[in-house]
């Protein structure tokens, strides 16, 4: 519990920093005053209208990606698994491209439902393909099905973008992964999916512990493996699909966060999932803050910064030989 409390404190500090730092640095008193004594000043407007929605979206997206990564690594027993392995990013990207090219939608808030639907459909197809047949290689089939379908969907997306320069111009800002410019409408649209997926994930720790031992052992302990895999797949679809819909395909969070959590708390998924739900937003918000500071008055998108910041952490964990234990 002490470690989780420390992680929660770190997240609180990250939230305050996200509200205070950026192209315009604000005093802590200004940030607090925006909530307790709003006066319509520029500083208060920046906090409430620009940085608060951005921070809240970052909290939801980071927690979702962290937990989805934990589930994927447990289900597939693959330490390199992350939400994109289910074709989530590829499905969402194709849906967004179609929304822009066919329907002319240009507002990120308008992408949400299309991205979520594309992510869900791709994940269902991957799970259906990966569930064909029986045997101990089910996790491997799931990984292979995800890789094949992701390649197909990515090729279709690229074909549309090559033929339509206007669609490419709009799509590239979403595809890099960003929480900038996201308003509360985006968060409200995906919040029910985030809450449902998060609740399902948090109550699945015991089942994940058993499933990670192997299908045969799980069955011998009385677990209904197919049903558990289906419920966990639903959780990943809800979490990762909503996260990608809200912020675009942000890489590395779902891969790195489970390993950071595992280094802190061990392999028990009953603790891994809550830790991932806290560490994920920490990584995402810190990456976003650094991206704002490095390129003032512009910014480096958070999808780029998560890889730049998370990669050294994951490399260190690999050198500590903790990556192999999932």
């Amino acid at each position: 519990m002490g470690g989780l409390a420390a992680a929660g404190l770190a997240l609180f500090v990250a939230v305050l920093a996200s509200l205070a730092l950026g192209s315009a640095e604000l005093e802590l008193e200004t940030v607090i005053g925006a909530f307790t004594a709003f006066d319509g000043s520029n500083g208060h407007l920046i906090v409430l209208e620009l940085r608060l929605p951005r921070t809240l979206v970052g909290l939801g997206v980071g927690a979702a990606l962290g937990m989805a990564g934990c589930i994927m690594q447990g289900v597939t027993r693959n330490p390199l698994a992350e939400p994109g392995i289910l074709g989530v990013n590829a499905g969402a990207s194709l849906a967004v491209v179609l929304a822009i090219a066919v329907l002319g939608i240009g507002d990120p808030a308008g992408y949400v439902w299309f991205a979520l639907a594309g992510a869900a459909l791709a994940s269902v197809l991957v799970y259906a393909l990966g569930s064909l047949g029986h045997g101990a290689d089910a996790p491997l089939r799931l990984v292979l099905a995800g890789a094949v379908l992701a390649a197909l969907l990515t090729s279709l997306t690229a074909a549309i973008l090559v033929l339509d320069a206007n669609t490419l111009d709009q799509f590239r800002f979403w595809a890099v992964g960003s929480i900038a410019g996201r308003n509360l409408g985006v968060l409200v649209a995906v919040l029910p999916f985030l809450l449902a997926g998060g609740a399902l994930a948090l109550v699945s720790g015991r089942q994940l512990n058993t499933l990670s031992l192997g299908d045969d052992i799980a069955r011998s302990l009385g677990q209904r493996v197919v049903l558990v895999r289906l419920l966990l797949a639903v959780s990943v679809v809800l979490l990762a699909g909503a996260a990608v819909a809200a912020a675009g395909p942000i890489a590395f969070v779902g891969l790195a966060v489970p390993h950071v959590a595992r280094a802190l708390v061990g392999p028990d998924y009953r603790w891994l999932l809550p830790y991932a739900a806290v560490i994920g937003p920490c990584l995402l918000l810190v990456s976003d803050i650094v991206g704002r500071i490095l390129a003032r008055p512009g910014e480096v998108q958070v999808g780029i910064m998560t890889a730049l910041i998370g990669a050294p952490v994951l490399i260190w964990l690999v050198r500590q030989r903790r990556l192999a234990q999932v």
Side-chain angles (χ1 to χ4, degrees):
M1 287 296 293
L4 192 58
L9 179 61
L11 179 58
F12 178 72
V13 173
V15 168
L16 288 181
S18 179
L19 295 174
L21 301 178
S23 58
E25 289 194 9
L26 303 176
E27 298 291 336
L28 186 58
E29 291 79 7
T30 302
V31 173
I32 296 174
F35 296 96
T36 60
F38 179 75
D39 59 11
S41 63
N42 287 338
H44 288 182
L45 289 173
I46 289 173
V47 171
L48 293 182
E49 295 188 5
L50 297 178
R51 294 183 182 170
L52 179 61
R54 179 176 188 160
T55 301
L56 292 176
V57 171
L59 286 172
V61 169
L65 292 176
M67 287 190 290
C70 266
I71 294 173
M72 285 305 305
Q73 291 179 12
V75 168
T76 64
R77 301 196 293 278
N78 183 345
L80 298 179
E82 50 91 26
I85 201 171
L86 277 184
V88 171
N89 292 355
S93 297
L94 179 59
V96 169
V97 165
L98 291 174
I100 297 172
V102 178
L103 301 178
I105 296 176
D107 182 8
Y111 300 158
V112 169
W113 295 107
F114 293 94
L116 186 61
L121 181 58
S123 300
V124 169
L125 289 175
V126 168
Y127 187 80
L129 292 172
S131 299
L132 295 176
H134 301 281
D137 61 341
L140 178 59
R141 291 200 305 270
L142 193 66
V143 172
L144 293 176
V148 170
L149 189 64
L152 173 61
L153 297 179
T154 300
S155 298
L156 293 175
T157 300
I160 297 173
L161 294 176
V162 167
L163 297 173
D164 191 339
N166 181 60
T167 300
L168 173 61
D169 188 56
Q170 295 185 52
F171 175 74
R172 62 191 178 93
F173 292 104
W174 178 86
V176 73
S178 175
I179 57 175
R182 304 306 195 260
N183 55 39
L184 289 179
V186 173
L187 180 62
V188 170
V190 301
L191 187 59
F193 304 99
L194 292 175
L195 293 177
L200 186 56
L202 291 174
V203 300
S204 302
R206 187 181 301 275
Q207 288 76 14
L208 264 173
N209 282 340
T210 305
L211 195 62
S212 65
L213 299 175
D215 289 2
D216 292 337
I217 295 179
R219 289 192 185 95
S220 69
L221 294 175
Q223 188 172 99
R224 300 172 65 181
V225 173
V226 175
L227 178 60
V228 170
R229 285 189 183 280
L230 179 60
L231 292 176
L232 291 172
V234 170
S235 178
V236 172
V237 169
L238 292 172
L239 289 170
V244 173
I250 296 176
F252 218 82
V253 176
L255 174 63
V257 166
H259 294 294
V260 176
R262 195 171 289 110
L264 294 174
V265 75
D268 189 344
Y269 282 92
R270 292 173 298 177
W271 287 103
L272 273 176
L273 288 164
Y275 268 80
V278 177
I279 297 172
C282 281
L283 174 59
L284 192 67
L285 289 179
V286 169
S287 299
D288 186 49
I289 294 166
V290 174
R292 295 185 224 172
I293 295 174
L294 284 180
R296 288 175 177 168
E299 63 180 70
V300 180
Q301 301 302 319
V302 69
I304 299 172
M305 293 307 306
T306 52
L308 293 177
I309 292 178
V313 175
L314 190 58
I315 291 171
W316 179 80
L317 289 172
V318 171
R319 290 180 62 85
Q320 296 297 310
R321 298 183 180 179
R322 297 182 180 180
L323 183 62
Q325 186 179 0
V326 176

